[in-house]
Amino acid sequence: VPVTAQIDSIKADQMVVQAKACLKQEKWDSSEYYISIARQYFKENNKLGFWLKTYSTLSYVWGGDLKKPTKGVELSELGFREKWRAPGNQKEWKQYAMNFLTTSHVLRVNATDYLGAKNYYEKALEVFIGKLGGHSDRVAQYLYHNLGNIYTRIGDYERAISLFRQSLNYNSLH
């Protein structure tokens, strides 16, 4: 059974890759077909982290490759709304934070919506501090720098300086 489950998981991951390729080729129906199979597998097998990553991956494609950031953000929001449970371990919480960072990136880079991006970065910060205890190099790598820059852009210099200091402290410890 474990070998079969592993093979099925690899197949589901491959479905996400296929869905991404179809999206880039604007084959909407094929993309939806592949992604629905992957999402169904991840949900039925309680693989929330993989399920969340699916939404993050496709949000990047919509926002960046296809230049439709609104669709990318809508897809991210759908992933947040349709999750069937809260993340239950560090790996899932990291992916949850990464999904907020993905949405922030799409808003900041592809839609030039700094206030919208700030809101998602702050949600990622809440997860980073509250659920990850302020420990995740991957999350910190994107979070501190980008949120600090957003604060600078909107003129919130005190918070920007505070965040950049936190980044320096984090980096000196890791």
Side-chain angles (χ1 to χ4, degrees), residues 37-165:
I37 292 171
R39 282 191 299 226
Q40 180 180 348
Y41 172 80
F42 294 141
K43 188 170 184 178
E44 287 174 358
N45 291 280
N46 201 27
K47 295 183 176 289
L48 182 64
F50 291 103
W51 190 82
L52 288 167
K53 188 172 183 183
T54 299
Y55 284 94
S56 179
T57 299
L58 298 178
S59 182
Y60 271 123
V61 173
W62 277 106
D65 298 334
L66 298 175
K67 309 277 189 260
K68 297 183 183 211
T70 303
K71 181 71 174 171
V73 172
E74 286 173 8
L75 190 61
S76 290
E77 281 295 324
L78 181 66
F80 293 129
R81 275 193 316 274
E82 289 191 352
K83 70 181 186 334
W84 61 94
R85 63 173 173 80
N89 58 49
Q90 292 294 296
K91 191 172 183 178
E92 289 177 350
W93 280 112
K94 283 179 192 175
Q95 186 57 54
Y96 193 60
M98 291 304 295
N99 280 43
F100 284 122
L101 294 173
T102 296
T103 309
S104 301
H105 175 84
V106 169
L107 285 166
R108 179 180 56 86
V109 173
N110 304 112
T112 320
D113 178 357
Y114 298 115
L115 291 177
K118 177 185 84 66
N119 293 334
Y120 285 98
Y121 280 125
E122 288 175 341
K123 289 177 182 181
L125 182 63
E126 287 175 23
V127 172
F128 178 68
I129 292 170
K131 299 298 183 178
L132 298 173
H135 302 289
S136 172
D137 291 350
R138 186 166 178 232
V139 173
Q141 173 186 0
Y142 297 104
L143 180 62
Y144 284 127
H145 172 74
N146 290 315
L147 183 55
N149 283 337
I150 292 286
Y151 285 149
T152 300
R153 284 186 178 269
I154 63 173
D156 192 344
Y157 301 113
E158 266 186 48
R159 285 171 67 180
I161 291 168
S162 173
L163 205 59
F164 289 137
R165 282 190 181 131

